[in-house]
Amino acid sequence: MASQRGEGDLTTPLEPADRERARAIPEAAVARLAVYLRVLSGMADQGVTTVSSEELSTAAGVNSAKLRKDLSYIGSYGTRGVGYDVEVLVSHIERILGLTRKHSVAVVGIGNLGHALANYGGFPGRGFPVTALFDVDDDLVGVPVGGIPVNHIEDIQRVCAEREVSIGVIATPPPAAQGVCDRLVSAGVQCILNFAPVVLQVPDNVEVRKVDLAVEMQILSFHVARRADEAANDLVNGIGVDGMVIRP
Amino acid sequence: MASQRGEGDLTTPLEPADRERARAIPEAAVARLAVYLRVLSGMADQGVTTVSSEELSTAAGVNSAKLRKDLSYIGSYGTRGVGYDVEVLVSHIERILGLTRKHSVAVVGIGNLGHALANYGGFPGRGFPVTALFDVDDDLVGVPVGGIPVNHIEDIQRVCAEREVSIGVIATPPPAAQGVCDRLVSAGVQCILNFAPVVLQVPDNVEVRKVDLAVEMQILSFHVARRADEAANDLVNGIGVDGMVIRP
DNA sequence: CTATGTGAACGTGTTCACAGCG
DNA sequence: CGCTGTGAACACGTTCACATAG
């Protein structure tokens, strides 16, 4: 079933079978594949060559059925009765995730967060070199952050084209986000990671992912409240905070 | 259907009806409620008093059916034929999300990201004051960041108890994350926001949310690859990059 | 007559459990 | 005989469409 071909090749197009498969992979599975990849890379570094679905799933924090299902979306690369070859899995996941190609990243908005992102210097996981920084503040323009000089937002289009930026990261204050987004889009950037707490409007051909700290905190808050409430409820029903039945 | 009671009350326990409802709200809906809340707050600031499901849903980037369903999880606070009262909705969502209570936040790991987080000074959206910072580096201990002096990690338990920290934010390098997590848990923190690219092991009573930049980038990468591939595929099938059929 | 609220239909993602391969 | 790979069952979330309240 496997389509053999040189691994690590920079511009390998997917085979027709892989192509249909990629279309069908659920978004949730894609996110988990990235996690499996990280765990597998760690294992490879430690000299592990083979892993079972049980081991890998535990390390990745999911159950083994889900892991096997996820892996089945990208093909059948395991050996029954044995498990998976770590290196083989790594390269197949990398290929499916498009990591055989470098994705140049631009960070817009060099405030606290922008600084932090720029200084990661080649985003977590490698394969995502930060090649351009932008800000509106003239005092910042020209100053190198994480080794890269800041450009003025006006120059987004030119600089993004020159450096073949494929991913734009928005780390601006909320009011500026939509404007920056529009510029990135008109510069041909089709993938955006948005840290600004704003719902971005983009054309259909642009992919946006958002990281929203306020929302994350509020989800946690919801769970605190729910738990506190359940505890109160349980007490009323005669169950102690430790789960012990004190009034059966 | 509405359970009337003083709004903005700091320690109002939920009524039994609300309690069952809170249990039943899908996680995905909770995340969206937080977004609605932000949009509604903005509207309130601009003096808007009433909003229809259509308007609110557009502003929040979802469809109106989903919005109404989400709101129905928390009760029926709209007026048929009219819409929703902005203030009423805001206070009900705040109550359901547990935002009538302050959630003290501790940030662990004062590197680039930790600095950025500490300097947000009272996390995005308010109601989440950062009250403690921790690091292993002795040179950092005592130095104020965003107005709060850094404590040594050793003191997590004492300081978290004193300042009633309810949410811990992990912004350490990956190898330190699990250890920090364990300390936070033993300090009684039940909610953790994890920025380290590590799968944390925690007891059942602790809620973890993770923000994983590498995963986000790789999901975007996947979409770039899928798109590039579709384009290649379309070319083979005689469709131009602009969607025009060039070889029917 | 308008816009909410919701049961019912639908679709997607998860889990189960076992057939089948090595 | 163990572990993968997967169809089938299930659970969850989304969308539809309309009865219902104002």
Side-chain angles (χ1 to χ4, degrees):
Chain A
M1 207 180 223
S3 52
Q4 288 312 323
R5 157 180 357 109
E7 308 302 340
D9 186 343
L10 271 182
T11 49
T12 319
L14 274 64
E15 304 261 317
D18 291 337
R19 203 176 282 155
E20 271 163 50
R21 217 174 261 134
R23 232 188 285 276
I25 303 178
E27 184 92 358
V30 173
R32 286 191 298 267
L33 284 171
V35 175
Y36 305 153
L37 178 59
R38 180 158 57 222
V39 173
L40 286 165
S41 300
M43 287 176 167
D45 289 348
Q46 287 177 23
V48 178
T49 57
T50 300
V51 68
S52 71
S53 63
E54 199 60 55
E55 294 166 313
L56 181 51
S57 66
T58 306
V62 302
N63 66 46
S64 65
K66 194 184 279 182
L67 174 106
R68 289 200 302 277
K69 188 61 129 185
D70 288 344
L71 293 184
S72 80
Y73 291 130
I74 67 171
S76 310
Y77 304 117
T79 308
R80 293 172 193 236
V82 179
Y84 302 90
D85 182 283
V86 173
E87 296 224 352
V88 169
L89 255 195
V90 164
S91 61
H92 280 293
I93 295 177
E94 282 180 341
R95 187 172 42 81
I96 290 288
L97 293 182
L99 302 177
T100 49
R101 172 192 184 304
K102 284 258 179 297
H103 298 272
S104 181
V105 175
V107 176
V108 188
I110 312 302
N112 283 315
L113 181 58
H115 255 90
L117 295 174
N119 276 309
Y120 266 130
F123 254 80
R126 284 177 306 282
F128 297 96
V130 175
T131 58
L133 305 176
F134 300 97
D135 204 294
V136 269
D137 185 352
D138 286 317
D139 293 346
L140 272 173
V141 174
V143 176
V145 176
I148 299 153
V150 176
N151 280 102
H152 194 276
I153 280 194
E154 294 294 327
D155 298 328
I156 280 187
Q157 250 153 309
R158 182 177 55 77
V159 175
C160 284
E162 279 173 16
R163 305 187 191 169
E164 295 180 297
V165 167
S166 57
I167 297 178
V169 177
I170 299 179
T172 65
Q178 182 64 57
V180 164
C181 174
D182 294 343
R183 282 171 196 243
L184 283 169
V185 169
S186 70
V189 174
Q190 296 204 327
C191 290
I192 291 175
L193 184 57
N194 178 31
F195 285 88
V198 171
V199 180
L200 294 177
Q201 306 296 327
V202 292
D204 288 346
N205 63 328
V206 176
E207 188 80 23
V208 176
R209 301 215 32 109
K210 69 168 179 176
V211 174
D212 191 325
L213 298 199
V215 168
E216 295 299 329
M217 300 300 276
Q218 289 173 12
I219 293 172
L220 287 174
S221 168
F222 169 78
H223 288 291
V224 179
R226 194 175 49 68
R227 249 199 276 279
D229 210 65
E230 264 167 19
N233 194 25
D234 284 350
L235 268 180
V236 169
N237 293 319
I239 299 172
V241 286
D242 49 6
M244 194 81 100
V245 176
I246 54 185
R247 190 149 37 102
Chain B
M1 208 181 217
S3 52
Q4 287 313 323
R5 156 177 2 107
E7 308 303 339
D9 186 343
L10 270 180
T11 50
T12 319
L14 274 63
E15 304 262 317
D18 292 338
R19 203 177 282 155
E20 270 163 50
R21 217 175 261 133
R23 231 188 285 277
I25 303 178
E27 184 93 356
V30 173
R32 287 190 298 266
L33 283 171
V35 175
Y36 305 153
L37 178 59
R38 180 157 57 222
V39 174
L40 286 165
S41 300
M43 287 176 167
D45 289 348
Q46 287 177 23
V48 178
T49 58
T50 299
V51 68
S52 71
S53 63
E54 199 61 54
E55 293 166 314
L56 181 51
S57 66
T58 306
V62 301
N63 66 45
S64 64
K66 195 184 279 183
L67 174 106
R68 289 201 302 278
K69 189 60 133 186
D70 288 344
L71 292 185
S72 81
Y73 291 129
I74 67 171
S76 309
Y77 303 117
T79 308
R80 292 174 193 233
V82 179
Y84 302 90
D85 182 283
V86 173
E87 296 224 352
V88 169
L89 255 195
V90 165
S91 61
H92 280 295
I93 295 177
E94 282 181 342
R95 188 171 43 81
I96 290 286
L97 292 183
L99 302 178
T100 49
R101 173 192 182 304
K102 283 256 179 298
H103 298 273
S104 182
V105 175
V107 177
V108 189
I110 312 301
N112 283 315
L113 180 58
H115 256 90
L117 295 174
N119 276 309
Y120 267 130
F123 255 80
R126 285 178 305 282
F128 297 97
V130 175
T131 57
L133 305 176
F134 300 97
D135 204 294
V136 268
D137 185 351
D138 285 319
D139 292 347
L140 272 172
V141 174
V143 176
V145 176
I148 299 152
V150 176
N151 280 102
H152 195 275
I153 281 194
E154 294 294 327
D155 298 328
I156 279 188
Q157 250 151 307
R158 181 177 55 76
V159 176
C160 284
E162 279 173 15
R163 306 187 190 168
E164 296 180 297
V165 167
S166 57
I167 297 178
V169 177
I170 299 178
T172 65
Q178 183 65 56
V180 164
C181 174
D182 293 344
R183 281 171 198 242
L184 284 169
V185 169
S186 70
V189 174
Q190 295 204 327
C191 291
I192 291 176
L193 184 57
N194 178 30
F195 285 88
V198 171
V199 180
L200 294 178
Q201 306 296 327
V202 293
D204 288 346
N205 63 328
V206 176
E207 187 78 25
V208 175
R209 302 214 33 109
K210 69 168 178 176
V211 174
D212 192 325
L213 298 198
V215 168
E216 296 298 329
M217 300 301 276
Q218 289 174 13
I219 293 172
L220 287 173
S221 167
F222 170 78
H223 288 292
V224 179
R226 194 175 47 68
R227 250 199 276 280
D229 211 63
E230 265 165 19
N233 194 25
D234 285 349
L235 268 180
V236 169
N237 293 321
I239 299 172
V241 285
D242 48 7
M244 194 82 100
V245 176
I246 54 184
R247 189 153 34 104

